[in-house]
Amino acid sequence: MNFIERTIGRGKPSVAIVGSTHGDEIIGERVISRLRGLELKQGTVSFISAHPEALKKHVRFIDRDLNRSFPGKKNGVIEEQIAYKLKRHLRRFDVVIDLHTTRSNVGSLIIFTRDTPAMRELLAQVPIKKVALIGSHIFGGHEMVNHAPLGISLEYGPDTNGKSSERAARDIKALLVNLGMVAGRRRRMLKKVMYTVSDRYEVKGKVRPKAGLRNFRLIKKGQAIGSTEEGSLKARYSFYPLFLGKGRYEGTFALAAKTRQIVQL
Ligand SMILES: [Zn+2]
């Protein structure tokens, strides 16, 4: 099993746009088809469908989460094999963009795993205001972008009526304009709201989150956040929740950011 790639243009800079890392998220394929007619004035763009088999079956993964399987194994289960090949392939790109949607309403959000000057430069090229630093202690560093020389994940809310894929295609085009690869006026976004994820907020058992909680809105220590079979749940500490409730992390109430900063890049 392998990933599928279609490349346009030639030379540097080179950008990989990766979709279907999770096979149940079709945003990547939709964005790729929206960008089909893209004309490059310089550089290379590769559209990569990371997990065609999961995509075809409309499942998140076959054996294990591809985005928790890097660096992969040559003879492992299917996702480990894909990760193994992709890691080697992604090395040659200057920038890797990994596309996701989530059932949790996050609007649009950039996820990055290493805070370096090159990363900050890249963040400024993407017209998304909210950014979340998810260090390798959160998921063990097994995410795809953590294994690319310079990579970010873009997370969008549900792609109802194609709104998220339209937005994603626009964001990627703006990035390519900023990188000088597509004609247009360059506009960087230097001011960001940065959430530093410090923890996975775990809760035991099935939780019904309290209505009215919102992603990115501070939950204070002691605040009621939901209920389980054993009774009501109160926040153990103060945090900004990301990927609340309906999100993708089973057993995790939300990702918890203890700090929120306005950053001028
Ligand atoms: Zn995903």
Side-chain angles (χ1 to χ4, degrees):
M1 197 58 215
N2 215 339
F3 55 87
I4 294 172
E5 180 179 34
R6 192 174 61 85
T7 300
I8 56 173
R10 57 186 298 186
K12 294 268 182 183
S14 55
V15 176
I17 312 289
V18 184
S20 80
T21 300
H22 292 132
D24 58 344
E25 301 169 359
I26 54 170
I27 187 168
E29 302 306 307
R30 287 184 175 165
V31 168
I32 288 170
S33 85
R34 281 176 191 275
L35 294 175
R36 189 157 283 154
L38 199 68
E39 284 192 24
L40 297 181
K41 55 176 192 168
Q42 67 164 334
T44 310
V45 174
S46 279
F47 300 102
I48 295 174
S49 187
H51 202 334
E53 191 173 333
L55 185 70
K56 203 166 84 187
K57 292 181 173 159
H58 307 291
V59 293
R60 193 165 181 79
F61 52 81
I62 308 289
D63 286 312
R64 53 174 295 167
D65 190 333
L66 175 57
N67 209 27
R68 302 284 178 271
S69 298
F70 283 77
K73 287 179 192 158
K74 198 173 183 180
N75 299 307
V77 299
I78 178 167
E79 284 81 10
E80 290 169 324
Q81 291 184 31
I82 295 172
Y84 184 84
K85 288 180 191 160
L86 256 185
K87 179 183 162 81
R88 274 144 197 84
H89 186 62
L90 293 178
R91 265 184 205 149
R92 69 191 71 170
F93 291 93
D94 298 311
V95 173
V96 173
I97 307 291
D98 178 30
L99 290 168
H100 293 265
T101 44
T102 158
R103 281 166 290 159
S104 188
N105 254 313
V106 296
S108 53
L109 173 70
I110 306 176
I111 290 173
F112 64 112
T113 58
R114 289 187 302 263
D115 192 2
T116 62
M119 180 60 77
R120 288 192 171 221
E121 180 58 32
L122 173 60
L123 295 179
Q125 319 281 1
V126 184
I128 294 176
K129 195 165 188 185
K130 292 192 180 88
V131 302
L133 173 59
I134 302 185
S136 57
H137 59 293
I138 303 295
F139 294 114
H142 299 299
E143 303 98 311
M144 178 192 300
V145 293
N146 204 36
H147 291 266
L150 186 61
I152 52 176
S153 288
L154 303 185
E155 285 278 357
Y156 294 88
D159 194 24
T160 350
N161 308 322
K163 276 265 151 54
S164 289
S165 55
E166 187 186 334
R167 174 84 209 268
R170 207 178 337 129
D171 291 342
I172 288 168
K173 202 170 162 199
L175 165 67
L176 297 175
V177 168
N178 284 331
L179 293 174
M181 298 169 69
V182 169
R185 197 159 75 89
R186 295 188 190 196
R187 275 188 66 185
R188 302 199 301 162
M189 189 188 269
L190 297 170
K191 193 174 163 188
K192 304 282 182 185
V193 183
M194 190 191 290
Y195 297 85
T196 304
V197 172
S198 39
D199 230 331
R200 296 152 72 156
Y201 196 96
E202 307 279 1
V203 278
K204 273 193 200 145
K206 269 217 153 79
V207 185
R208 244 178 313 132
K210 195 169 164 56
L213 295 179
R214 293 270 176 81
N215 283 309
F216 310 111
R217 188 189 286 170
L218 183 66
I219 289 174
K220 292 199 173 129
K221 183 180 175 181
Q223 187 180 327
I225 55 173
S227 56
T228 63
E229 284 177 350
E230 287 168 28
S232 76
L233 270 181
K234 295 211 158 54
R236 299 189 294 269
Y237 52 84
S238 299
F239 65 98
Y240 297 91
L242 277 68
F243 300 104
L244 255 176
K246 288 181 290 182
R248 38 184 197 173
Y249 306 109
E250 310 302 328
T252 300
F253 180 76
L255 294 188
K258 284 188 186 159
T259 60
R260 171 193 186 273
Q261 300 161 272
I262 308 294
V263 181
Q264 192 71 33
L265 295 172

